[in-house]
Amino acid sequence: MTRGLSVVRPGMLTTVQDLGRWGFQASGVPVAGPMDEYSHRLANRLVGNLPSAAALEITLIGPELLAHGEVTCAVAGATFELTVGGSSVPMHVPFTLHAGDRLKFGARRAGARAALAVKGGFDVPAVFGSRSTSLISAMGPFDGRALKAGDLLPIAPVTTIVSSGSASVASVPLPLPAGGATVRVIPGPQLSFFTPQAYDTLFTSRYLITPHSNRMGYRLAGPALQHAGRADILSDATPLGTLQVPASGQPILLMADRQTTGGYPKIGVVIGADLPLAGQLAPGDWIEFAPCTRQTAVEALRRRQQWLGGQR
Amino acid sequence: MGPFKIHSAGDAAVVVELPEAIDPEINAWCVALSRTLTTNLGTIARDVVIGYCSVTVFFDPIGVDAQWLEAEIAECAATTDVSTVIGGGAVEVPVCYGGDGGPDLADVAAFAGCSEAEAIALHASREYRVYLVGFVPGFAYMAEVDPRIAAPRRSSPRTSVPAGSVAIAGGQTGVYPSVTPGGWNIIGRTPLKPFDAARAEPFLFKPGDRVRFRRLDECECGRA
């Protein structure tokens, strides 16, 4: 490997992700992709990559990485103390590693997940057109598993320059949750499967993210959401951010590695603009929900796009 | 054919729903609509996913106006004609029923109040329709199983079901493509791989396919 990063210590759960594996959900293939797509896009933008470049998603405890050759990096998302050879480097600003430099992720101060992008993107094999890792399906680079010590992450030669003055881009880091977050939800599609009280409860209660939560989804604990009748539907597709409610009344928030179909009624779906915030939550955090229309949801997404400097 | 309804599912997906039922004609309509949408929308649809009685279109809400998309979908749906659907392919699944590969066959037979041989015959004598593919890559939901052997999901799912396991849950039957947790009743094992990433056609089943299970004898199962 002439240029790239090697894994000295992998951290708790570090995976390669791009914008997800689209086009195969009809065959049961999960989309995967980053839990916080905003920070993934931001990190890529800071190093001058297209948003689709493969980056690392880092979870709770970060890795130690060794540079082979010169590597320009940027980290966005959860606030980590970053050091290179003992000197600290800032988040949300590109920095360059020289051959032999070790980038260490130290203490985490806020949020749960960070994106590490390298200029050129990681040149690892694509599976079904994507470099995202679906742990549940074992699909993706490194046989669809999390990174281990000794893994090599080559970097593609830089052929696509999006912006040379990436440090001058006014990009806004994602505001991070402090103990929890409120996310907006578009009610439905199984509106008739829930009582009006269920919606009142959903929008006025606080839920806890239980330890049974991971990239597939968050199991929430809190006031039960009441079904109008039965608690199952004939299986259909489950978009990212779906809040599905089994018979127990305890909702499950479906996240990046969710299965493509499900048989529980869906009380609502978290809006795209708030999914990155949801992706920054960890077990022990609280989550609350607020109703939202699709129109407001799209406006919020457009504002987020402006924060990224308009790149899509 | 009942009326269809179009709902948003969040801001990045739209669902077309038909009356809820496991019904070949309803599902065939969904298959027809799915094909029309895939052709007409092209890259505007990031994915089109069929359910038992639904079709979900995924899109990028920044690049695509949702109301425009719903109008396009409604127009396609209004003109969808089941008779235009060319039937799915026929797939035969060889099965070693019972033994170590079918630990729940006895339970299914007990549920039916018949012998294991009769339960096998009831499973292998029908042609099943693939309604949707989901849960894991390549897992096809097939129906309808003979009510006599339509044993419900197990109360405690297994943490690990071997790949190739042939199973029943209520009116549904299917083949586990990979090692996963599973709560269905495992009645046998097939050497076929519903999903093989290296194969030219990686996925063995798609909605609309007609599936038959063929019992392998003791010799073929390597038990003789």
Side-chain angles (χ1 to χ4, degrees):
Chain A
M1 178 173 77
T2 48
R3 206 164 63 88
L5 297 178
S6 60
V7 180
V8 179
R9 287 199 326 263
M12 176 180 281
L13 179 69
T14 302
T15 55
V16 179
Q17 303 292 346
D18 57 17
L19 292 178
R21 188 166 288 109
W22 288 96
F24 300 94
Q25 283 188 90
S27 298
V29 178
V31 177
M35 294 283 274
D36 172 3
E37 188 180 301
Y38 180 89
S39 296
H40 169 92
R41 287 176 178 271
L42 175 54
N44 269 330
R45 179 145 177 80
L46 288 167
V47 295
N49 288 343
L50 290 172
S52 52
L56 297 185
E57 176 180 271
I58 285 141
T59 314
L60 297 177
I61 298 172
E64 181 181 338
L65 304 161
L66 175 66
H68 301 252
E70 195 168 280
V71 181
T72 299
C73 311
V75 181
T79 308
F80 280 93
E81 283 179 2
L82 303 171
T83 54
V84 178
S87 306
S88 83
V89 287
M91 298 257 326
H92 303 111
V93 174
F95 57 92
T96 299
L97 301 175
H98 303 285
D101 279 346
R102 288 171 183 244
L103 170 63
K104 285 190 193 179
F105 281 71
R108 179 176 50 92
R109 303 245 170 265
R113 296 169 181 90
L116 165 65
V118 295
K119 190 183 188 76
F122 289 111
D123 190 15
V124 290
V127 175
F128 285 83
S130 167
R131 295 181 170 88
S132 286
T133 305
S134 171
L135 297 167
I136 181 75
S137 329
M139 275 177 105
F142 304 101
D143 296 323
R145 61 161 171 78
L147 296 185
K148 297 193 303 205
D151 282 341
L152 302 181
L153 295 155
I155 293 168
V158 179
T159 54
T160 310
I161 308 289
V162 175
S163 63
S164 51
S166 45
S168 67
V169 167
S171 301
V172 180
L174 186 78
L176 295 170
T182 301
V183 297
R184 290 163 290 184
V185 168
I186 295 173
Q190 272 85 43
L191 291 165
S192 63
F193 274 71
F194 297 95
T195 63
Q197 290 74 29
Y199 280 98
D200 282 341
T201 304
L202 178 65
F203 295 132
T204 56
S205 302
R206 175 165 286 199
Y207 290 85
L208 176 74
I209 296 178
T210 70
H212 303 291
S213 301
N214 54 30
R215 276 182 50 86
M216 286 184 71
Y218 299 162
R219 290 188 176 255
L220 307 181
L225 298 170
Q226 200 179 14
H227 297 87
R230 62 192 153 89
D232 58 79
I233 58 169
L234 288 178
S235 295
D236 66 358
T238 43
L240 177 62
T242 290
L243 270 168
Q244 57 179 19
V245 186
S248 63
Q250 302 294 290
I252 303 168
L253 175 55
L254 298 182
M255 298 297 283
D257 262 356
R258 73 208 172 281
Q259 291 165 345
T260 55
T261 55
Y264 297 132
K266 304 186 281 301
I267 195 168
V269 185
V270 174
I271 72 171
D274 290 350
L275 282 169
L277 185 59
Q280 287 296 344
L281 297 171
D285 285 338
W286 56 265
I287 187 168
E288 292 178 356
F289 303 99
C292 190
T293 62
R294 186 166 62 184
Q295 189 180 343
T296 304
V298 177
E299 284 162 9
L301 210 49
R302 288 195 196 285
R303 273 200 299 280
R304 279 290 157 81
Q305 189 189 14
Q306 284 163 8
W307 286 6
L308 281 170
Q311 182 193 63
R312 193 75 186 163
Chain B
M1 179 64 48
F4 62 84
K5 291 184 186 171
I6 298 181
H7 297 293
S8 59
D11 54 21
V14 166
V15 190
V16 183
E17 287 176 350
L18 285 176
E20 209 182 0
I22 300 180
D23 180 310
E25 204 184 325
I26 287 176
N27 188 255
W29 186 90
C30 292
V31 172
L33 175 61
S34 168
R35 287 187 195 160
T36 307
L37 290 174
T38 300
T39 303
N40 290 10
L41 295 176
T43 54
I44 287 169
R46 302 174 86 177
D47 264 311
V48 179
V49 178
I50 294 169
Y52 272 104
C53 47
S54 66
V55 180
T56 302
V57 179
F58 292 79
F59 62 99
D60 182 345
I62 292 280
V64 178
D65 180 80
Q67 283 180 304
W68 171 87
L69 180 64
E70 284 189 0
E72 286 295 305
I73 292 172
E75 203 178 304
C76 288
T79 55
T80 290
D81 181 0
V82 177
S83 67
T84 65
V85 175
I86 298 157
V91 185
E92 187 184 78
V93 180
V95 184
C96 286
Y97 283 99
D100 291 338
D104 302 326
L105 180 61
D107 286 344
V108 171
F111 172 84
C114 67
S115 68
E116 289 188 13
E118 285 166 329
I120 291 170
L122 286 171
H123 186 254
S125 61
R126 280 202 170 187
E127 185 180 83
Y128 301 94
R129 179 191 175 81
V130 173
Y131 279 80
L132 70 153
V133 178
F135 168 54
V136 289
F139 184 90
Y141 288 82
M142 308 173 197
E144 277 202 79
V145 170
D146 189 304
R148 286 168 284 182
I149 54 166
R153 271 183 183 80
R154 302 186 69 75
S155 51
S156 299
R158 288 186 173 81
T159 51
S160 177
V161 170
S165 293
V166 176
I168 292 174
Q172 304 166 111
T173 187
V175 181
Y176 283 87
S178 50
V179 178
T180 55
W184 291 28
N185 298 287
I186 313 234
I187 60 172
R189 184 94 52 94
T190 178
L192 286 190
K193 289 184 168 187
F195 169 54
D196 184 346
R199 198 163 53 202
E201 181 49 64
F203 305 101
L204 206 52
F205 304 111
K206 58 187 188 304
D209 281 349
R210 303 178 317 276
V211 180
R212 277 197 174 275
F213 294 89
R214 180 169 66 85
R215 185 184 153 273
L216 293 172
D217 66 33
E218 299 282 307
C219 245
E220 292 164 303
C221 290
R223 286 185 212 145

